[in-house]
Amino acid sequence: MADADRLIICEHCDAVYQPVELRAHEKASCVRCHAIIQRHNSLGIEQRLALSVTAAVLWAFANVYPIMSIRLQGLSNSATLWDSIVALSQGPITFIALVAAVAIIVAPAFQLALLLWVLGYAHGHRRAPGFALCMRSLETLRPWSMLEVCLLGALVAVIKLAGLLDVLPGIGLFALAALSLLIIRIAGRDVRDLWGHP
Ligand SMILES: [Zn+2]
């Protein structure tokens, strides 16, 4: 009987497999539905921890520095992520401000805090206190974290407004772009392999 701890299940058709050792650029797919069930992860714990620290710094930059500044006839204005949430909350769609705050500020912050906690302990070859809860929370938070949607929106706004006003992308926008790529890399489904560690 295979060790039940180590079995993996295809998310799409519930077929159960023994995990295999994959080499670089290899992936395993389900024989029944052809969905990808395992990918080689080239990042070690130390690298993931370093990327998580980098992402936390980028998160701070994205929240402190303006996403963009606009200028028109000598008047200038700039907005941070938080300013955009506040602006939304004062309009007729206050509820959307709450959803946006969760999707672009709160969920990524929790993801990063949980990753730093879990990976910090994993780096010392120990399991973090509350490990199972942290891992389940990471799975729950993933669909709520929508930095890439926000990034796309900000880019569309910059390009559209550029025709009418002087628009300067801010440091926050560059930090947001780097952060959304990093989050996809470090908080994706790959975090699941931490269950088997150490
Ligand atoms: Zn399948």
Side-chain angles (χ1 to χ4, degrees), residues 10-15 17 30-35 37:
C10 171
E11 274 180 64
H12 301 273
C13 74
D14 288 347
Y17 297 95
C30 174
V31 288
R32 197 154 69 176
C33 72
H34 310 294
I37 48 172

mmCIF file of all heavy atoms in Angstrom, residues 10-15 17 30-35 37, ligand 1:
data_model
loop_
_atom_site.group_PDB
_atom_site.id
_atom_site.type_symbol
_atom_site.label_atom_id
_atom_site.label_comp_id
_atom_site.label_asym_id
_atom_site.label_seq_id
_atom_site.Cartn_x
_atom_site.Cartn_y
_atom_site.Cartn_z
ATOM 1 N N CYS A 10 -5.524 14.195 -9.186
ATOM 2 C CA CYS A 10 -5.796 15.104 -10.298
ATOM 3 C C CYS A 10 -7.001 15.959 -9.898
ATOM 4 O O CYS A 10 -8.043 15.437 -9.518
ATOM 5 C CB CYS A 10 -6.107 14.314 -11.563
ATOM 6 S SG CYS A 10 -6.707 15.372 -12.886
ATOM 7 N N GLU A 11 -6.821 17.293 -9.962
ATOM 8 C CA GLU A 11 -7.891 18.200 -9.528
ATOM 9 C C GLU A 11 -9.105 18.133 -10.443
ATOM 10 O O GLU A 11 -10.185 18.559 -10.078
ATOM 11 C CB GLU A 11 -7.388 19.641 -9.590
ATOM 12 C CG GLU A 11 -6.670 20.080 -8.368
ATOM 13 C CD GLU A 11 -6.223 21.514 -8.551
ATOM 14 O OE1 GLU A 11 -7.091 22.389 -8.669
ATOM 15 O OE2 GLU A 11 -5.010 21.728 -8.588
ATOM 16 N N HIS A 12 -8.904 17.660 -11.669
ATOM 17 C CA HIS A 12 -9.985 17.734 -12.659
ATOM 18 C C HIS A 12 -10.817 16.460 -12.745
ATOM 19 O O HIS A 12 -11.989 16.518 -13.068
ATOM 20 C CB HIS A 12 -9.396 18.084 -14.029
ATOM 21 C CG HIS A 12 -8.668 19.398 -13.991
ATOM 22 N ND1 HIS A 12 -9.300 20.589 -14.202
ATOM 23 C CD2 HIS A 12 -7.371 19.698 -13.704
ATOM 24 C CE1 HIS A 12 -8.429 21.577 -14.072
ATOM 25 N NE2 HIS A 12 -7.249 21.053 -13.769
ATOM 26 N N CYS A 13 -10.192 15.289 -12.498
ATOM 27 C CA CYS A 13 -10.979 14.054 -12.631
ATOM 28 C C CYS A 13 -10.818 13.108 -11.447
ATOM 29 O O CYS A 13 -11.310 11.980 -11.485
ATOM 30 C CB CYS A 13 -10.627 13.349 -13.937
ATOM 31 S SG CYS A 13 -9.022 12.553 -13.876
ATOM 32 N N ASP A 14 -10.099 13.551 -10.406
ATOM 33 C CA ASP A 14 -9.945 12.779 -9.165
ATOM 34 C C ASP A 14 -9.163 11.470 -9.301
ATOM 35 O O ASP A 14 -9.269 10.603 -8.432
ATOM 36 C CB ASP A 14 -11.319 12.498 -8.520
ATOM 37 C CG ASP A 14 -11.914 13.746 -7.908
ATOM 38 O OD1 ASP A 14 -11.173 14.735 -7.760
ATOM 39 O OD2 ASP A 14 -13.111 13.726 -7.572
ATOM 40 N N ALA A 15 -8.416 11.284 -10.373
ATOM 41 C CA ALA A 15 -7.560 10.101 -10.466
ATOM 42 C C ALA A 15 -6.397 10.281 -9.479
ATOM 43 O O ALA A 15 -5.941 11.389 -9.248
ATOM 44 C CB ALA A 15 -7.038 9.948 -11.880
ATOM 45 N N TYR A 17 -2.521 9.387 -8.091
ATOM 46 C CA TYR A 17 -1.207 8.966 -8.618
ATOM 47 C C TYR A 17 -0.147 8.990 -7.534
ATOM 48 O O TYR A 17 -0.260 9.713 -6.546
ATOM 49 C CB TYR A 17 -0.745 9.916 -9.728
ATOM 50 C CG TYR A 17 -1.632 9.919 -10.928
ATOM 51 C CD1 TYR A 17 -2.640 10.867 -11.051
ATOM 52 C CD2 TYR A 17 -1.472 8.965 -11.929
ATOM 53 C CE1 TYR A 17 -3.475 10.871 -12.141
ATOM 54 C CE2 TYR A 17 -2.306 8.964 -13.025
ATOM 55 C CZ TYR A 17 -3.303 9.917 -13.123
ATOM 56 O OH TYR A 17 -4.136 9.914 -14.205
ATOM 57 N N CYS A 30 -2.109 13.987 -16.288
ATOM 58 C CA CYS A 30 -3.045 12.917 -15.939
ATOM 59 C C CYS A 30 -3.317 12.058 -17.186
ATOM 60 O O CYS A 30 -3.585 12.602 -18.256
ATOM 61 C CB CYS A 30 -4.323 13.570 -15.443
ATOM 62 S SG CYS A 30 -5.654 12.436 -15.113
ATOM 63 N N VAL A 31 -3.269 10.743 -17.037
ATOM 64 C CA VAL A 31 -3.496 9.890 -18.222
ATOM 65 C C VAL A 31 -4.971 9.883 -18.618
ATOM 66 O O VAL A 31 -5.315 9.606 -19.761
ATOM 67 C CB VAL A 31 -3.020 8.427 -18.000
ATOM 68 C CG1 VAL A 31 -1.512 8.331 -17.971
ATOM 69 C CG2 VAL A 31 -3.628 7.839 -16.753
ATOM 70 N N ARG A 32 -5.834 10.203 -17.642
ATOM 71 C CA ARG A 32 -7.269 10.125 -17.930
ATOM 72 C C ARG A 32 -7.790 11.413 -18.589
ATOM 73 O O ARG A 32 -8.531 11.355 -19.560
ATOM 74 C CB ARG A 32 -8.016 9.855 -16.626
ATOM 75 C CG ARG A 32 -9.405 9.358 -16.833
ATOM 76 C CD ARG A 32 -9.894 8.536 -15.683
ATOM 77 N NE ARG A 32 -10.100 9.323 -14.476
ATOM 78 C CZ ARG A 32 -10.610 8.819 -13.364
ATOM 79 N NH1 ARG A 32 -10.932 7.533 -13.299
ATOM 80 N NH2 ARG A 32 -10.776 9.574 -12.309
ATOM 81 N N CYS A 33 -7.389 12.598 -18.044
ATOM 82 C CA CYS A 33 -7.967 13.843 -18.586
ATOM 83 C C CYS A 33 -6.895 14.773 -19.163
ATOM 84 O O CYS A 33 -7.205 15.876 -19.602
ATOM 85 C CB CYS A 33 -8.779 14.570 -17.522
ATOM 86 S SG CYS A 33 -7.787 15.343 -16.246
ATOM 87 N N HIS A 34 -5.650 14.363 -19.109
ATOM 88 C CA HIS A 34 -4.516 15.107 -19.679
ATOM 89 C C HIS A 34 -4.232 16.446 -19.007
ATOM 90 O O HIS A 34 -3.502 17.265 -19.558
ATOM 91 C CB HIS A 34 -4.682 15.306 -21.200
ATOM 92 C CG HIS A 34 -4.997 14.028 -21.915
ATOM 93 N ND1 HIS A 34 -4.101 12.991 -21.983
ATOM 94 C CD2 HIS A 34 -6.130 13.602 -22.544
ATOM 95 C CE1 HIS A 34 -4.661 11.982 -22.628
ATOM 96 N NE2 HIS A 34 -5.895 12.320 -22.985
ATOM 97 N N ALA A 35 -4.822 16.691 -17.838
ATOM 98 C CA ALA A 35 -4.489 17.930 -17.101
ATOM 99 C C ALA A 35 -3.093 17.766 -16.496
ATOM 100 O O ALA A 35 -2.666 16.642 -16.213
ATOM 101 C CB ALA A 35 -5.515 18.161 -15.999
ATOM 102 N N ILE A 37 -0.590 17.617 -13.651
ATOM 103 C CA ILE A 37 -0.760 17.385 -12.212
ATOM 104 C C ILE A 37 0.510 17.651 -11.423
ATOM 105 O O ILE A 37 0.481 17.819 -10.224
ATOM 106 C CB ILE A 37 -1.247 15.940 -11.929
ATOM 107 C CG1 ILE A 37 -0.413 14.922 -12.707
ATOM 108 C CG2 ILE A 37 -2.716 15.793 -12.252
ATOM 109 C CD1 ILE A 37 -0.709 13.493 -12.333
HETATM 110 ZN ZN ZN B 1 -7.276 13.913 -14.521
#
